[in-house]
Amino acid sequence: MARNLRHIHLRNLGKPHPFQAKGGGGSKSPSDVLNRAAHAQALLQAIDALPDIKKSDLPGVYLEVKSRPNERLKRESLDASNLTLLHYEDGSRSDTNQESATVFATAKGVEKLRKKVGEFQHENTKDRVKDGEVIPGRPKNADLVQSVAAITEAGLRALWRSPDVKFPAENGSSNWEIWLDPSEVDSFTQSAPEYGVMIGEERLSFPEDVVIIVHSTRVALANAIRRIGGVRALAAPTVTAEFFDGMNVQEQAQWVDELLQRTEFPPHPNPGYVTLMDTGVSRAHPLIEPALDAADRHAANPAWSVEDTTGHGTQMAGLALFGDLTPNLSQANPVRVGNRLESVKLLPDAGANPHHLLGAVTRNAVDTVEQNNLRRRTFTMTTTTSEDSPHDGAPTSWSSELDQLASGVSGMTNEPRLMLVSAGNTDNFSFAAGDYLNRCDHEDNEIESPAQAWNAVSVGAYTEKTQLPNGEPATPLAPFGDLSPASRTASWSSTWPLKPDVVLEGGNWAASAYPPPMRHGWLSMLSTHHNYPLRSFTFTYDTSAATALAAKGISELWSEYPSLWPETVRGLYVSSARWTPQMMSHLPAEPNKGDYATLFQRYGYGVPDLNRARRSASNALTLIVEDTITPYGLSEKTGGDINNEMKLFALPWPIEQLRTLGNTEVTLRVTLSTFIAPNPSEASRGSKYRYASHNLRFKLNRADENAQRFMARISKLAEQPDGPQSAEEDLWDYGRNRRDVGSLHIDQLTCKASDLARRNLIAVHPVSGWWKSKTLLQGELPTVRYALIVEIDAEEVQAELFAEVQAVVDALVSAQAVVAV
């Protein structure tokens, strides 16, 4: 059916209910040691071997704590009583499956640790009675002490967050990224130069850390850290990936004139701006000048020029306005350009940004453009780094700052932002014979930082470019509709967000009898050249080109619904994506939930469909609900932190039409999008689900559940009805391992229309986040925004789903039960 109906957009539809999650089992206690006294004595000797903090006039001591093989460290006991847990590694990378933790201990902390080990050696807890049976007491502090195999003074490597191969060499000075306790920043930066540590000027601030750059030898830095303290982590400062110059084509200026004559740049009172954070943009090109005012070109560093001297930013500008120029030049139809451009140079004309924190440079770029006008901006960044790899999806300082900027907790303007970032490009010289996807999937080609950021739209590339000229002694490397060979993939499939979010055209490579495969003009896109009029056009490709195309589409979508929140636009755009038939061909005939992992790692949710994102059809409706929730609160009984509420949505539903369709299968797709405030220290301590300020989940009622039974299934605080709980399957395609990660959750199911008629209840509820803290909740309780996007699609079956829902919505609006936007 034709998609010509505006989506239904509502606010204030959710009803709050008290919420408490149904708990699971507790963590497993470590096994008993064979010799209690000997184990305790070995640990006491290790503690005695630590430096004397008071005599040495040290602020404390950094400890490296190793677990016994195949045992779990009791992390919470290593983050209390003057012990501060700084870093945690599970045993997955250890041959002996040993966990390790880096802990900072004050003098009191060391003594309390010594006391706990001594109590373990000599004292037991009291016996207790359970079900009439006396259960003997255990050694005191058994879970902590029996989990630990060794305690030693930590060196610099124990504080290292970056890949091991990036650890600086022993000889010579290097740049270091230093993560400091905010209360110790002044002390460290003032005292460190006395030990030969040079301090950089840039700062990045996170909830528990301030990040700086220093220049030092390993010995000098180790001495400074030991004597001053305050350091929470070390990492490698990042440098940007190099851009590849496109193959240049000498085109006639008449082509530009002809296209310009049939291109309209209509005035708009509130146009959407694509804000390119790149190498600058040239206004000399006639196709760009009407959409880019001279005052809208900036640089992150005031000392830099705003001109594009390398060409990459101007290529992105052409794509963000026109898309691939080839079809525009090949036809004679009118062209309408609604987007406008802003440019902020993120990269210097020569070299990179080796002595700056790239997160700080990005923040400066955002602040520079936002100080001028309040605009609807789609921030677009095609700059990534390989210096943080492998990160396996874990946050870095740059990705964390991107999350802060998107959520509005960083920058001069405290408003949420819509941010796009490219996934990064592979190196064609690393490709040999064989299936190119095996090389793209290799961990060496993991998505580059900061594209793992939770709140940003991470863009990879696929390709439909498979035509080469007759007689060409080469063949296209990627088949039509599959991953572009240039596109990097995720090395993880759970825990961290699904990345990339989407893929768009990024060009193909030509493979000949002799590797490596090479880029080719016929397998590339065409865009604007920065040296006009010497050259008008240039080939462009890779994930940067795909990101510019995504920026064009998202900005156009937002202009259709300018009142939508940025997190809603993200959800609506990504939710429109689908996998191509070629991508789906990699699944088995009857896939299970785990089989989808590879597709998500390569393609995210697939190729966006702007037509689907912009409009509904009579038989395929999209319902957009924007709402807020207060996820956490304090218990009136205990004063402790608790989950505060869930929101229940009784959605306006096409019940009669679905009943009429009966056994016809229809598809339901649900998207939940929110922006989180990051806390990278939580992730470093092993609390991966507490990197986010808040985490939300959605649940859908089953066909045999009314509201009471549905709420009773998901919340302890709901009234528990008589009778058994529903035993029906939820039927989700992707499942919670793929869905319940990051800050954007999407899943879909296909079922009988008659069953879906009874499944119109959706609950949005919180799970743990770092805001769920008694200390942080003493003031005003935080309220967060989120978007819930629900799609019902009857595919090729004729139905009036939209009309029935619109009638229900009209009635609700008349009754002032909801607000239609």
Side-chain angles (χ1 to χ4, degrees), residues 732-769:
W732 293 113
D733 284 352
Y734 310 143
R736 64 180 184 177
N737 287 343
R738 242 61 58 188
R739 178 183 67 236
D740 293 345
V741 291
S743 59
L744 177 64
H745 303 163
I746 302 176
D747 211 336
Q748 66 181 32
L749 60 84
T750 301
C751 66
K752 295 177 181 178
S754 57
D755 285 344
L756 189 59
R758 295 177 288 166
R759 303 188 70 178
N760 71 317
L761 301 176
I762 293 181
V764 174
H765 66 83
V767 294
S768 288

mmCIF file of all heavy atoms in Angstrom, residues 732-769:
data_model
loop_
_atom_site.group_PDB
_atom_site.id
_atom_site.type_symbol
_atom_site.label_atom_id
_atom_site.label_comp_id
_atom_site.label_asym_id
_atom_site.label_seq_id
_atom_site.Cartn_x
_atom_site.Cartn_y
_atom_site.Cartn_z
ATOM 1 N N TRP A 732 9.481 -13.035 20.313
ATOM 2 C CA TRP A 732 10.399 -12.027 19.775
ATOM 3 C C TRP A 732 11.447 -12.688 18.880
ATOM 4 O O TRP A 732 11.971 -13.751 19.197
ATOM 5 C CB TRP A 732 11.095 -11.274 20.897
ATOM 6 C CG TRP A 732 10.196 -10.415 21.730
ATOM 7 C CD1 TRP A 732 9.877 -10.589 23.045
ATOM 8 C CD2 TRP A 732 9.491 -9.249 21.290
ATOM 9 N NE1 TRP A 732 9.024 -9.609 23.459
ATOM 10 C CE2 TRP A 732 8.763 -8.759 22.409
ATOM 11 C CE3 TRP A 732 9.393 -8.566 20.083
ATOM 12 C CZ2 TRP A 732 7.960 -7.629 22.342
ATOM 13 C CZ3 TRP A 732 8.593 -7.440 20.020
ATOM 14 C CH2 TRP A 732 7.898 -6.974 21.124
ATOM 15 N N ASP A 733 11.788 -12.033 17.776
ATOM 16 C CA ASP A 733 12.774 -12.571 16.844
ATOM 17 C C ASP A 733 14.195 -12.512 17.404
ATOM 18 O O ASP A 733 14.974 -13.462 17.241
ATOM 19 C CB ASP A 733 12.746 -11.795 15.520
ATOM 20 C CG ASP A 733 11.551 -12.169 14.658
ATOM 21 O OD1 ASP A 733 10.835 -13.126 15.017
ATOM 22 O OD2 ASP A 733 11.335 -11.494 13.633
ATOM 23 N N TYR A 734 14.572 -11.395 18.019
ATOM 24 C CA TYR A 734 15.967 -11.161 18.377
ATOM 25 C C TYR A 734 16.288 -11.576 19.814
ATOM 26 O O TYR A 734 17.386 -12.046 20.092
ATOM 27 C CB TYR A 734 16.342 -9.693 18.172
ATOM 28 C CG TYR A 734 15.961 -9.155 16.818
ATOM 29 C CD1 TYR A 734 15.501 -7.852 16.664
ATOM 30 C CD2 TYR A 734 16.049 -9.954 15.676
ATOM 31 C CE1 TYR A 734 15.145 -7.354 15.420
ATOM 32 C CE2 TYR A 734 15.690 -9.466 14.430
ATOM 33 C CZ TYR A 734 15.232 -8.165 14.307
ATOM 34 O OH TYR A 734 14.868 -7.678 13.086
ATOM 35 N N GLY A 735 15.360 -11.377 20.743
ATOM 36 C CA GLY A 735 15.575 -11.793 22.122
ATOM 37 C C GLY A 735 16.365 -10.786 22.933
ATOM 38 O O GLY A 735 16.978 -9.855 22.416
ATOM 39 N N ARG A 736 16.372 -10.989 24.251
ATOM 40 C CA ARG A 736 16.930 -9.984 25.149
ATOM 41 C C ARG A 736 18.437 -9.811 25.020
ATOM 42 O O ARG A 736 18.957 -8.719 25.273
ATOM 43 C CB ARG A 736 16.573 -10.327 26.593
ATOM 44 C CG ARG A 736 17.172 -11.621 27.107
ATOM 45 C CD ARG A 736 16.770 -11.865 28.547
ATOM 46 N NE ARG A 736 17.426 -13.054 29.082
ATOM 47 C CZ ARG A 736 17.294 -13.451 30.334
ATOM 48 N NH1 ARG A 736 16.522 -12.786 31.155
ATOM 49 N NH2 ARG A 736 17.939 -14.531 30.755
ATOM 50 N N ASN A 737 19.189 -10.867 24.626
ATOM 51 C CA ASN A 737 20.636 -10.712 24.492
ATOM 52 C C ASN A 737 20.997 -9.702 23.414
ATOM 53 O O ASN A 737 22.024 -9.023 23.504
ATOM 54 C CB ASN A 737 21.296 -12.054 24.166
ATOM 55 C CG ASN A 737 21.327 -12.987 25.347
ATOM 56 O OD1 ASN A 737 21.148 -12.566 26.487
ATOM 57 N ND2 ASN A 737 21.542 -14.266 25.088
ATOM 58 N N ARG A 738 20.214 -9.600 22.389
ATOM 59 C CA ARG A 738 20.436 -8.634 21.331
ATOM 60 C C ARG A 738 19.675 -7.338 21.600
ATOM 61 O O ARG A 738 20.123 -6.264 21.241
ATOM 62 C CB ARG A 738 19.980 -9.222 19.983
ATOM 63 C CG ARG A 738 21.060 -9.368 18.954
ATOM 64 C CD ARG A 738 22.176 -10.279 19.354
ATOM 65 N NE ARG A 738 21.719 -11.625 19.670
ATOM 66 C CZ ARG A 738 22.496 -12.558 20.186
ATOM 67 N NH1 ARG A 738 23.751 -12.281 20.470
ATOM 68 N NH2 ARG A 738 22.039 -13.768 20.431
ATOM 69 N N ARG A 739 18.516 -7.448 22.241
ATOM 70 C CA ARG A 739 17.641 -6.277 22.401
ATOM 71 C C ARG A 739 18.043 -5.410 23.593
ATOM 72 O O ARG A 739 18.080 -4.173 23.481
ATOM 73 C CB ARG A 739 16.203 -6.757 22.586
ATOM 74 C CG ARG A 739 15.189 -5.638 22.810
ATOM 75 C CD ARG A 739 13.808 -6.220 23.055
ATOM 76 N NE ARG A 739 13.724 -6.963 24.307
ATOM 77 C CZ ARG A 739 13.333 -8.224 24.405
ATOM 78 N NH1 ARG A 739 12.998 -8.902 23.329
ATOM 79 N NH2 ARG A 739 13.280 -8.823 25.582
ATOM 80 N N ASP A 740 18.324 -6.025 24.739
ATOM 81 C CA ASP A 740 18.457 -5.269 25.984
ATOM 82 C C ASP A 740 19.888 -4.811 26.214
ATOM 83 O O ASP A 740 20.488 -5.058 27.267
ATOM 84 C CB ASP A 740 17.969 -6.116 27.159
ATOM 85 C CG ASP A 740 16.473 -6.366 27.102
ATOM 86 O OD1 ASP A 740 15.782 -5.667 26.341
ATOM 87 O OD2 ASP A 740 15.997 -7.271 27.812
ATOM 88 N N VAL A 741 20.473 -4.141 25.234
ATOM 89 C CA VAL A 741 21.809 -3.570 25.356
ATOM 90 C C VAL A 741 21.771 -2.149 24.803
ATOM 91 O O VAL A 741 20.970 -1.829 23.934
ATOM 92 C CB VAL A 741 22.868 -4.398 24.604
ATOM 93 C CG1 VAL A 741 23.089 -5.746 25.268
ATOM 94 C CG2 VAL A 741 22.486 -4.602 23.143
ATOM 95 N N GLY A 742 22.649 -1.296 25.325
ATOM 96 C CA GLY A 742 22.717 0.070 24.828
ATOM 97 C C GLY A 742 21.521 0.894 25.244
ATOM 98 O O GLY A 742 20.771 0.559 26.171
ATOM 99 N N SER A 743 21.308 2.003 24.525
ATOM 100 C CA SER A 743 20.201 2.913 24.836
ATOM 101 C C SER A 743 19.156 2.932 23.722
ATOM 102 O O SER A 743 18.252 3.761 23.739
ATOM 103 C CB SER A 743 20.740 4.334 25.054
ATOM 104 O OG SER A 743 21.425 4.805 23.902
ATOM 105 N N LEU A 744 19.289 2.023 22.759
ATOM 106 C CA LEU A 744 18.308 1.874 21.681
ATOM 107 C C LEU A 744 17.947 0.398 21.577
ATOM 108 O O LEU A 744 18.809 -0.434 21.280
ATOM 109 C CB LEU A 744 18.886 2.373 20.355
ATOM 110 C CG LEU A 744 18.007 2.209 19.116
ATOM 111 C CD1 LEU A 744 16.740 3.033 19.234
ATOM 112 C CD2 LEU A 744 18.778 2.586 17.848
ATOM 113 N N HIS A 745 16.699 0.063 21.853
ATOM 114 C CA HIS A 745 16.246 -1.325 21.868
ATOM 115 C C HIS A 745 15.188 -1.522 20.788
ATOM 116 O O HIS A 745 14.195 -0.788 20.750
ATOM 117 C CB HIS A 745 15.652 -1.689 23.226
ATOM 118 C CG HIS A 745 16.580 -1.471 24.375
ATOM 119 N ND1 HIS A 745 16.158 -1.406 25.679
ATOM 120 C CD2 HIS A 745 17.919 -1.315 24.411
ATOM 121 C CE1 HIS A 745 17.196 -1.220 26.468
ATOM 122 N NE2 HIS A 745 18.276 -1.142 25.717
ATOM 123 N N ILE A 746 15.402 -2.512 19.926
ATOM 124 C CA ILE A 746 14.455 -2.813 18.855
ATOM 125 C C ILE A 746 14.254 -4.320 18.800
ATOM 126 O O ILE A 746 15.220 -5.082 18.864
ATOM 127 C CB ILE A 746 14.960 -2.304 17.491
ATOM 128 C CG1 ILE A 746 15.206 -0.794 17.529
ATOM 129 C CG2 ILE A 746 13.975 -2.648 16.376
ATOM 130 C CD1 ILE A 746 15.806 -0.236 16.249
ATOM 131 N N ASP A 747 13.001 -4.745 18.688
ATOM 132 C CA ASP A 747 12.711 -6.154 18.465
ATOM 133 C C ASP A 747 11.411 -6.252 17.691
ATOM 134 O O ASP A 747 10.640 -5.285 17.607
ATOM 135 C CB ASP A 747 12.605 -6.925 19.782
ATOM 136 C CG ASP A 747 13.049 -8.386 19.646
ATOM 137 O OD1 ASP A 747 13.004 -8.912 18.514
ATOM 138 O OD2 ASP A 747 13.421 -8.991 20.664
ATOM 139 N N GLN A 748 11.167 -7.402 17.102
ATOM 140 C CA GLN A 748 9.962 -7.592 16.321
ATOM 141 C C GLN A 748 9.465 -9.016 16.480
ATOM 142 O O GLN A 748 10.214 -9.917 16.865
ATOM 143 C CB GLN A 748 10.204 -7.297 14.846
ATOM 144 C CG GLN A 748 11.162 -8.259 14.166
ATOM 145 C CD GLN A 748 11.402 -7.926 12.705
ATOM 146 O OE1 GLN A 748 11.380 -6.763 12.313
ATOM 147 N NE2 GLN A 748 11.612 -8.942 11.893
ATOM 148 N N LEU A 749 8.182 -9.196 16.213
ATOM 149 C CA LEU A 749 7.585 -10.535 16.228
ATOM 150 C C LEU A 749 6.537 -10.610 15.133
ATOM 151 O O LEU A 749 5.989 -9.588 14.693
ATOM 152 C CB LEU A 749 6.984 -10.851 17.599
ATOM 153 C CG LEU A 749 5.861 -9.951 18.149
ATOM 154 C CD1 LEU A 749 4.487 -10.361 17.621
ATOM 155 C CD2 LEU A 749 5.856 -9.990 19.671
ATOM 156 N N THR A 750 6.285 -11.805 14.694
ATOM 157 C CA THR A 750 5.242 -12.067 13.711
ATOM 158 C C THR A 750 4.278 -13.079 14.306
ATOM 159 O O THR A 750 4.700 -14.121 14.817
ATOM 160 C CB THR A 750 5.830 -12.613 12.404
ATOM 161 O OG1 THR A 750 6.762 -11.641 11.886
ATOM 162 C CG2 THR A 750 4.751 -12.860 11.372
ATOM 163 N N CYS A 751 2.986 -12.754 14.272
ATOM 164 C CA CYS A 751 1.989 -13.644 14.876
ATOM 165 C C CYS A 751 0.657 -13.472 14.146
ATOM 166 O O CYS A 751 0.518 -12.628 13.258
ATOM 167 C CB CYS A 751 1.831 -13.344 16.369
ATOM 168 S SG CYS A 751 1.127 -11.726 16.741
ATOM 169 N N LYS A 752 -0.308 -14.264 14.537
ATOM 170 C CA LYS A 752 -1.646 -14.134 13.967
ATOM 171 C C LYS A 752 -2.246 -12.783 14.340
ATOM 172 O O LYS A 752 -2.095 -12.311 15.461
ATOM 173 C CB LYS A 752 -2.545 -15.253 14.484
ATOM 174 C CG LYS A 752 -2.130 -16.656 14.047
ATOM 175 C CD LYS A 752 -3.041 -17.700 14.660
ATOM 176 C CE LYS A 752 -2.621 -19.107 14.244
ATOM 177 N NZ LYS A 752 -3.482 -20.142 14.871
ATOM 178 N N ALA A 753 -2.929 -12.188 13.391
ATOM 179 C CA ALA A 753 -3.532 -10.884 13.639
ATOM 180 C C ALA A 753 -4.516 -10.941 14.809
ATOM 181 O O ALA A 753 -4.600 -10.008 15.612
ATOM 182 C CB ALA A 753 -4.230 -10.386 12.382
ATOM 183 N N SER A 754 -5.247 -12.037 14.930
ATOM 184 C CA SER A 754 -6.217 -12.166 16.022
ATOM 185 C C SER A 754 -5.533 -12.186 17.379
ATOM 186 O O SER A 754 -6.093 -11.713 18.373
ATOM 187 C CB SER A 754 -7.061 -13.429 15.834
ATOM 188 O OG SER A 754 -6.235 -14.582 15.763
ATOM 189 N N ASP A 755 -4.311 -12.749 17.445
ATOM 190 C CA ASP A 755 -3.550 -12.717 18.702
ATOM 191 C C ASP A 755 -3.032 -11.314 18.990
ATOM 192 O O ASP A 755 -3.065 -10.845 20.131
ATOM 193 C CB ASP A 755 -2.382 -13.698 18.644
ATOM 194 C CG ASP A 755 -2.822 -15.147 18.798
ATOM 195 O OD1 ASP A 755 -3.966 -15.366 19.252
ATOM 196 O OD2 ASP A 755 -2.025 -16.044 18.457
ATOM 197 N N LEU A 756 -2.538 -10.645 17.953
ATOM 198 C CA LEU A 756 -2.006 -9.300 18.155
ATOM 199 C C LEU A 756 -3.103 -8.335 18.595
ATOM 200 O O LEU A 756 -2.827 -7.342 19.285
ATOM 201 C CB LEU A 756 -1.346 -8.798 16.868
ATOM 202 C CG LEU A 756 -0.558 -7.493 16.997
ATOM 203 C CD1 LEU A 756 0.566 -7.631 18.013
ATOM 204 C CD2 LEU A 756 -0.002 -7.055 15.645
ATOM 205 N N ALA A 757 -4.334 -8.610 18.241
ATOM 206 C CA ALA A 757 -5.450 -7.752 18.669
ATOM 207 C C ALA A 757 -5.527 -7.652 20.182
ATOM 208 O O ALA A 757 -6.036 -6.664 20.726
ATOM 209 C CB ALA A 757 -6.765 -8.291 18.103
ATOM 210 N N ARG A 758 -5.023 -8.666 20.888
ATOM 211 C CA ARG A 758 -5.087 -8.679 22.355
ATOM 212 C C ARG A 758 -3.756 -8.289 23.003
ATOM 213 O O ARG A 758 -3.632 -8.367 24.225
ATOM 214 C CB ARG A 758 -5.479 -10.089 22.827
ATOM 215 C CG ARG A 758 -6.882 -10.517 22.400
ATOM 216 C CD ARG A 758 -7.177 -11.943 22.849
ATOM 217 N NE ARG A 758 -6.423 -12.926 22.071
ATOM 218 C CZ ARG A 758 -6.279 -14.205 22.419
ATOM 219 N NH1 ARG A 758 -6.805 -14.647 23.553
ATOM 220 N NH2 ARG A 758 -5.598 -15.034 21.649
ATOM 221 N N ARG A 759 -2.794 -7.841 22.195
ATOM 222 C CA ARG A 759 -1.466 -7.537 22.731
ATOM 223 C C ARG A 759 -1.161 -6.040 22.564
ATOM 224 O O ARG A 759 -0.222 -5.646 21.864
ATOM 225 C CB ARG A 759 -0.395 -8.392 22.054
ATOM 226 C CG ARG A 759 -0.636 -9.881 22.176
ATOM 227 C CD ARG A 759 0.523 -10.707 21.660
ATOM 228 N NE ARG A 759 1.699 -10.614 22.533
ATOM 229 C CZ ARG A 759 2.835 -11.284 22.323
ATOM 230 N NH1 ARG A 759 2.946 -12.078 21.267
ATOM 231 N NH2 ARG A 759 3.844 -11.156 23.157
ATOM 232 N N ASN A 760 -1.924 -5.214 23.206
ATOM 233 C CA ASN A 760 -1.771 -3.768 23.054
ATOM 234 C C ASN A 760 -1.234 -3.098 24.309
ATOM 235 O O ASN A 760 -1.296 -1.875 24.442
ATOM 236 C CB ASN A 760 -3.109 -3.130 22.689
ATOM 237 C CG ASN A 760 -4.091 -3.144 23.842
ATOM 238 O OD1 ASN A 760 -4.212 -4.154 24.547
ATOM 239 N ND2 ASN A 760 -4.796 -2.042 24.053
ATOM 240 N N LEU A 761 -0.699 -3.877 25.263
ATOM 241 C CA LEU A 761 -0.153 -3.303 26.493
ATOM 242 C C LEU A 761 1.370 -3.371 26.459
ATOM 243 O O LEU A 761 1.951 -4.447 26.284
ATOM 244 C CB LEU A 761 -0.671 -4.053 27.719
ATOM 245 C CG LEU A 761 -2.183 -4.083 27.919
ATOM 246 C CD1 LEU A 761 -2.540 -4.953 29.121
ATOM 247 C CD2 LEU A 761 -2.728 -2.672 28.103
ATOM 248 N N ILE A 762 2.010 -2.248 26.617
ATOM 249 C CA ILE A 762 3.464 -2.191 26.687
ATOM 250 C C ILE A 762 3.859 -1.479 27.972
ATOM 251 O O ILE A 762 3.323 -0.412 28.298
ATOM 252 C CB ILE A 762 4.065 -1.472 25.473
ATOM 253 C CG1 ILE A 762 3.828 -2.288 24.190
ATOM 254 C CG2 ILE A 762 5.568 -1.239 25.654
ATOM 255 C CD1 ILE A 762 4.420 -1.668 22.946
ATOM 256 N N ALA A 763 4.793 -2.067 28.697
ATOM 257 C CA ALA A 763 5.330 -1.448 29.909
ATOM 258 C C ALA A 763 6.774 -1.032 29.649
ATOM 259 O O ALA A 763 7.541 -1.768 29.040
ATOM 260 C CB ALA A 763 5.270 -2.415 31.082
ATOM 261 N N VAL A 764 7.129 0.151 30.108
ATOM 262 C CA VAL A 764 8.516 0.619 30.093
ATOM 263 C C VAL A 764 8.954 0.740 31.540
ATOM 264 O O VAL A 764 8.313 1.426 32.340
ATOM 265 C CB VAL A 764 8.647 1.974 29.369
ATOM 266 C CG1 VAL A 764 10.065 2.511 29.496
ATOM 267 C CG2 VAL A 764 8.260 1.839 27.898
ATOM 268 N N HIS A 765 10.038 0.052 31.886
ATOM 269 C CA HIS A 765 10.459 0.036 33.287
ATOM 270 C C HIS A 765 11.973 0.161 33.388
ATOM 271 O O HIS A 765 12.713 -0.133 32.429
ATOM 272 C CB HIS A 765 9.994 -1.257 33.970
ATOM 273 C CG HIS A 765 10.643 -2.504 33.456
ATOM 274 N ND1 HIS A 765 11.877 -2.945 33.888
ATOM 275 C CD2 HIS A 765 10.239 -3.410 32.526
ATOM 276 C CE1 HIS A 765 12.197 -4.063 33.263
ATOM 277 N NE2 HIS A 765 11.224 -4.367 32.423
ATOM 278 N N PRO A 766 12.496 0.587 34.540
ATOM 279 C CA PRO A 766 13.946 0.741 34.711
ATOM 280 C C PRO A 766 14.606 -0.543 35.190
ATOM 281 O O PRO A 766 13.975 -1.411 35.792
ATOM 282 C CB PRO A 766 14.048 1.829 35.791
ATOM 283 C CG PRO A 766 12.825 1.587 36.645
ATOM 284 C CD PRO A 766 11.744 1.123 35.702
ATOM 285 N N VAL A 767 15.890 -0.654 34.902
ATOM 286 C CA VAL A 767 16.788 -1.589 35.570
ATOM 287 C C VAL A 767 17.968 -0.742 36.058
ATOM 288 O O VAL A 767 17.961 0.473 35.929
ATOM 289 C CB VAL A 767 17.238 -2.729 34.639
ATOM 290 C CG1 VAL A 767 16.060 -3.612 34.264
ATOM 291 C CG2 VAL A 767 17.906 -2.193 33.382
ATOM 292 N N SER A 768 18.968 -1.377 36.615
ATOM 293 C CA SER A 768 20.028 -0.628 37.288
ATOM 294 C C SER A 768 20.742 0.351 36.357
ATOM 295 O O SER A 768 20.938 0.088 35.179
ATOM 296 C CB SER A 768 21.048 -1.587 37.884
ATOM 297 O OG SER A 768 20.522 -2.257 38.998
ATOM 298 N N GLY A 769 21.152 1.479 36.923
ATOM 299 C CA GLY A 769 22.001 2.468 36.288
ATOM 300 C C GLY A 769 22.772 3.174 37.382
ATOM 301 O O GLY A 769 22.463 3.025 38.573
#
